[in-house]
Every structure is written in C-alpha cells, then in structure tokens.
C-alpha cells in the first residue's frame, strides 16, 4: 500500500467529524457496558456476561479488539472495587494488554471474568478472561495494571 493510501485510510473518519463531535462526553463506557450483565461478584472477582451486539464489531464482523480492551478496563475496575476500593478511586492505567486467541461474533454469548491479582497501596493488577459460553473456550485474555492514588485519611 502506498503512503497516500495509508494516509487516506486513517483520515476517512474526518468525513463523520461533525457527527462524532456531537457525541456526549464519556460516551464510550455506556457504548461498551450497555450489554453487560453481572452474574457473580465476590471480593476481588467479578463475572459478567453479554451477548455481543453489532455495534462492537470490527470490519471482519467479530468483536473489535478495542472493545475487548475497553472491557478489560471496565470489568477489571469492577474487580478492584469489589476488593474494597470506591468506584471513583480505581486509579489510572499504567499498562493494559490483551492476547486475542480466537474470534467471537455477533449475538454470541460470552463470559468475562476479572480477578484482582494484587490490590496494594499504590498498584492494582487485574487478570481478565473472555470465554465463549457455549463451548467454554477462552478467546481472549487481558492483564491490566493500574496506579491507585493514595486516599486521604482525613
């Protein structure tokens, strides 16, 4: 692919710039989370399920990698909260990675399990596993490290 074609493929979003600018702030979380159901929650562990909606698909008609990474963030933060941290104090991402092992498709039922591996004074580490409900097959695994701000004791 020549350089001009690469540039055009990246700038094609500019055609919808006015529509995108009209979106409310923080629209991404509801876009991702509106299909989630919490199935189980305990100290340091959250299990959710969802039926993959069409809005979260990539051009290959499978769950978008960015949506998967966003779910690692959102469900992982819930695992931190379940370990005793208030929802608005779950910190900022230091590192997030996802290994994509298989594809998941529209209307497929999936399970997302987040476990807090460590929640310390300054750092939390979460593991998130994505499984297909029908087969139990793992199709993605994520790891998320967050810096947790110190809370005031006043």
């Amino acid at each position: 692919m020549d350089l001009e074609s690469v540039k055009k493929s990246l700038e094609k979003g500019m055609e919808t710039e006015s529509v995108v600018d009209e979106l409310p702030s923080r629209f991404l979380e509801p876009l991702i989370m509106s299909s989630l159901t919490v199935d189980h929650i305990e100290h340091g562990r959250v299990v959710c399920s969802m039926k993959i909606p069409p809005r979260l698909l990539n051009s290959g008609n499978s769950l978008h990698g960015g949506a998967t990474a966003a779910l690692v963030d959102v469900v992982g933060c819930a695992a931190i909260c379940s370990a005793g941290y208030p929802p608005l104090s779950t910190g900022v991402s230091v590192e997030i990675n996802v290994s994509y092992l298989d594809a998941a498709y529209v209307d497929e039922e999936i399970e997302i399990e987040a476990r807090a591996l460590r929640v310390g004074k300054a750092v939390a580490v979460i593991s998130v596993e994505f499984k297909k409900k029908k087969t139990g097959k793992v199709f993605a695994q994520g790891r998320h490290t967050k810096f947790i701000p110190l809370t005031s004791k006043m």
Side-chain angles (χ1 to χ4, degrees), residues 44-58:
R45 181 172 172 254
V46 176
V47 179
C48 296
S49 60
M50 74 183 296
K51 185 176 175 181
I52 298 174
R55 70 178 174 277
L56 298 183
L57 300 181
N58 61 21

Side-chain angles (χ1 to χ4, degrees), residues 94-110:
V94 173
E95 182 265 344
I96 187 167
N97 73 58
V98 183
S99 296
Y100 303 96
L101 309 171
D102 197 3
Y105 299 96
V106 71
D107 294 332
E108 196 164 3
E109 292 279 344
I110 65 170

Side-chain angles (χ1 to χ4, degrees), residues 35-152:
S35 300
L36 275 181
T37 301
V38 177
D39 298 327
H40 181 79
I41 189 165
E42 62 186 65
H43 184 84
R45 181 172 172 254
V46 176
V47 179
C48 296
S49 60
M50 74 183 296
K51 185 176 175 181
I52 298 174
R55 70 178 174 277
L56 298 183
L57 300 181
N58 61 21
S59 60
N61 287 322
S62 63
L63 181 62
H64 194 287
T68 306
L71 285 163
V72 168
D73 185 16
V74 170
V75 180
C77 286
I80 294 172
C81 294
S82 75
Y85 277 80
L88 296 177
S89 300
T90 58
V92 295
S93 298
V94 173
E95 182 265 344
I96 187 167
N97 73 58
V98 183
S99 296
Y100 303 96
L101 309 171
D102 197 3
Y105 299 96
V106 71
D107 294 332
E108 196 164 3
E109 292 279 344
I110 65 170
E111 180 180 274
I112 306 161
E113 180 179 359
R115 291 181 177 271
L117 303 177
R118 180 183 194 283
V119 180
K121 292 179 184 174
V123 174
V125 179
I126 302 102
S127 174
V128 183
E129 188 170 77
F130 294 77
K131 290 181 184 177
K132 297 179 178 192
K133 274 195 164 184
K134 188 174 184 179
T135 63
K137 184 177 181 180
V138 175
F139 69 90
Q141 287 184 317
R143 176 77 59 111
H144 194 184
T145 304
K146 296 197 82 170
F147 169 75
I148 302 170
L150 296 173
T151 55
S152 173

Side-chain angles (χ1 to χ4, degrees), residues 2-15:
D2 67 272
L3 298 179
E4 193 57 35
S5 297
V6 173
K7 180 182 176 192
K8 285 180 181 178
S9 72
L10 286 173
E11 292 177 343
K12 69 181 178 183
M14 294 180 76
E15 298 164 6

